[in-house]
């Protein structure tokens, strides 16, 4: 436990989420062995620190540590970069050169974006992993090296195997010890901890007070899907720190920095799904519905509060009384200290106010009106269809009989 905190402090890892702790714990356990490790996790989850942790806590810590981004090296030169080449082995090879596997003898090589390795290089890598043997490009001399390999991938390697882009045997060889870095959206309170850390860091960097989030903004932060994970959170915290004048950040200000927030979240998640086996479409839809529902409730509460404070005139000339009643019913669940349910609707109706300038809010009432009407209409239709048999109607509507009963009473539907 103490070790865990020490490591986090030493390597600047923020968070207490179980999945993150487990990942660090596995890294610590595997460090003193020579086993290969495959680190997987979405882009921006913080994979890069792990090979460093493993190297530092291994007996190779005084040896070389070389990080290679396999995706950044052109296919034509990667073999030579990794395994070296002999003079004259290809155009431009004016000198012979050691590769990383030769240089890192006795140390650790971190192969980042491993799934980008060409298949022919994968064969060479498998050989060096299994026997410690490699051959420089343009040579026939077999050489030996003693290197510990740690690999990382932000794409699902089994999927790459299925598509014929990755060798299965290499995968099993690398995956002796898998470490999975959790997506940011899974990490709960860590999201806020990371935000706070980054906001303090950027405040220091730009010599200004740190940004804070109000409660609603905090909810937005925690509810967002963070497709770019910790990297995205860090970037956004930096952008807000620089751009916003107000240091207390509201939910709407925060939302404006979150791409695909709300309804547009759908395409982003689906795009991911092509490559990975994340949330099913159904889960995504549930999430959207859930978000919509909570937005609706927020709006209802807002309208209710405005009506209660007398900021809106609800003369009911063109508003269906049922709507007010429903609005009140929902909102009063959250305002338990307010007046008794029965007395409020008529009180609300009587309230008049001088402020008539809240156009938007009035539109919202109309929107709710049509929704309430739809519900009534659907209930009536279902009842008609089953000749008033509530059990069947409830089944058709996908709600319980009790809920249907309550709604019938609530809306005063004749049945
Ligand atoms: N737990 C954490 N605490 C503090 N900073 C973190 C944490 N996790 C990630 N970061 C920071 O987030 C950024 C992205 O992390 P990193 O570069 O390791 O992502 P990655 O998993 O390698 O992504 P990719 O697959 O796209 O390469 C880095 O600036 C890193 O310092
Ligand atoms: Mg990386």
């Amino acid at each position: 436990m103490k070790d865990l905190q020490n490591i986090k402090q030493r390597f600047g890892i923020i968070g207490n989420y179980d999945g993150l702790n487990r990942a660090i714990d596995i890294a610590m356990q595997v460090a003193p062995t020579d086993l290969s490790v495959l680190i997987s996790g979405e882009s921006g989850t913080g994979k890069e620190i792990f090979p460093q942790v493993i190297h530092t806590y291994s007996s190779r810590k005084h040896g070389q540590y070389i990080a290679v981004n396999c995706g950044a090296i052109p296919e034509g030169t990667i073999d030579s970069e990794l395994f070296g080449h002999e003079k004259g082995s290809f155009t431009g090879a004016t000198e012979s050169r050691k590769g990383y596997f030769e240089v890192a003898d006795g140390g650790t090589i971190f192969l980042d974006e491993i799934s980008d390795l060409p298949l022919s290089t994968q064969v060479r890598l498998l050989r060096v992993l299994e026997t410690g043997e490699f051959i420089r490009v343009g040579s026939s001399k077999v050489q030996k090296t003693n290197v510990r390999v740690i690999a990382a991938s932000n794409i699902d390697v089994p999927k790459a195997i299925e598509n014929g882009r990755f060798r299965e045997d290499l995968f099993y060889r690398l995956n002796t010890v898998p470490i999975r870095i959790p997506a940011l959206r899974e990490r709960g309170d860590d999201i806020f901890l990371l935000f706070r850390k980054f906001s303090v860091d950027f405040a220091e960097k730009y010599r200004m007070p740190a940004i804070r989030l109000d409660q609603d903004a905090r909810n937005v932060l925690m509810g967002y899907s963070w497709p770019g994970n910790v990297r995205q959170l860090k970037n956004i915290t930096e952008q807000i720190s620089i751009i916003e004048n107000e240091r207390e950040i509201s939910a709407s200000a925060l939302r404006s920095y979150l791409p695909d927030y709300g309804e547009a979240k759908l395409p982003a998640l689906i795009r991911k799904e092509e490559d990975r086996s994340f949330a099913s479409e159904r889960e995504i839809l549930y999430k959207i519905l859930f978000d919509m529902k909570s937005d609706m409730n927020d709006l209802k509460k807002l309208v209710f509060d405005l009506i209660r404070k007398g900021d809106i005139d609800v003369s009911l000339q063109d508003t269906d009384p049922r709507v007010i009643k429903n609005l009140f019913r929902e909102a009063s669940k959250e305002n338990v200290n307010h007046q008794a349910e029965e007395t409020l609707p008529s009180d609300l109706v009587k309230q008049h106010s001088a402020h008539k300038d809240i156009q938007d809010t009035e539109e919202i009432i109309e929107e709710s009106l049509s929704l309430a009407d739809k519900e009534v209409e659907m209930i009536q239709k279902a009842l008609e269809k089953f000749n008033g048999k509530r059990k069947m109607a409830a089944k058709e509507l996908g709600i319980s009989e009790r809920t249907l009963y309550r709604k019938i009473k609530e809306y005063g539907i004749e049945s």
Side-chain angles (χ1 to χ4, degrees), residues 5 34 76 89-90 145 177 184 196-197 213 217 240-241 259-260 274 280 296 331 389 401 405:
Q5 292 311 325
D34 263 343
S89 57
F90 54 87
T145 186
V177 181
L184 182 60
R196 230 176 28 196
K197 168 75 167 74
L213 298 177
I240 300 177
S241 298
D260 303 330
E274 286 169 6
S280 70
M296 271 267 282
K389 289 202 182 78
E401 220 179 321
Y405 185 75

Side-chain angles (χ1 to χ4, degrees), residues 375 379 399-408 410:
E375 196 169 12
I379 292 172
I399 56 177
S400 72
E401 220 179 321
R402 252 182 52 202
T403 306
L404 178 62
Y405 185 75
R406 187 170 54 76
K407 285 191 182 291
I408 289 172
E410 196 173 301

Side-chain angles (χ1 to χ4, degrees), residues 37-71:
V37 179
L38 179 61
I39 300 162
S40 61
E42 290 177 28
S43 181
T45 44
K47 294 185 288 299
E48 268 161 56
I49 204 76
F50 280 81
Q52 293 174 41
V53 173
I54 295 170
H55 177 72
T56 310
Y57 285 90
S58 75
S59 59
R60 298 169 176 266
K61 60 174 176 281
H62 298 300
Q64 284 259 7
Y65 172 82
I66 298 179
V68 186
N69 186 341
C70 303

Side-chain angles (χ1 to χ4, degrees), residues 364-407:
I364 289 161
I365 294 179
E366 274 175 31
E367 175 75 11
S368 307
L369 169 69
S370 67
L371 278 172
D373 276 352
K374 275 274 170 303
E375 196 169 12
V376 173
E377 198 183 307
M378 281 171 70
I379 292 172
Q380 278 169 337
K381 274 199 182 133
L383 285 168
E384 264 167 40
K385 182 169 169 190
F386 296 102
N387 295 325
K389 289 202 182 78
R390 288 182 181 172
K391 193 170 177 173
M392 313 275 275
K395 202 167 169 209
E396 171 92 355
L397 291 164
I399 56 177
S400 72
E401 220 179 321
R402 252 182 52 202
T403 306
L404 178 62
Y405 185 75
R406 187 170 54 76
K407 285 191 182 291

Side-chain angles (χ1 to χ4, degrees), residues 48 112-113 231:
E48 268 161 56
D112 202 358
E113 316 291 343
R231 181 182 294 119

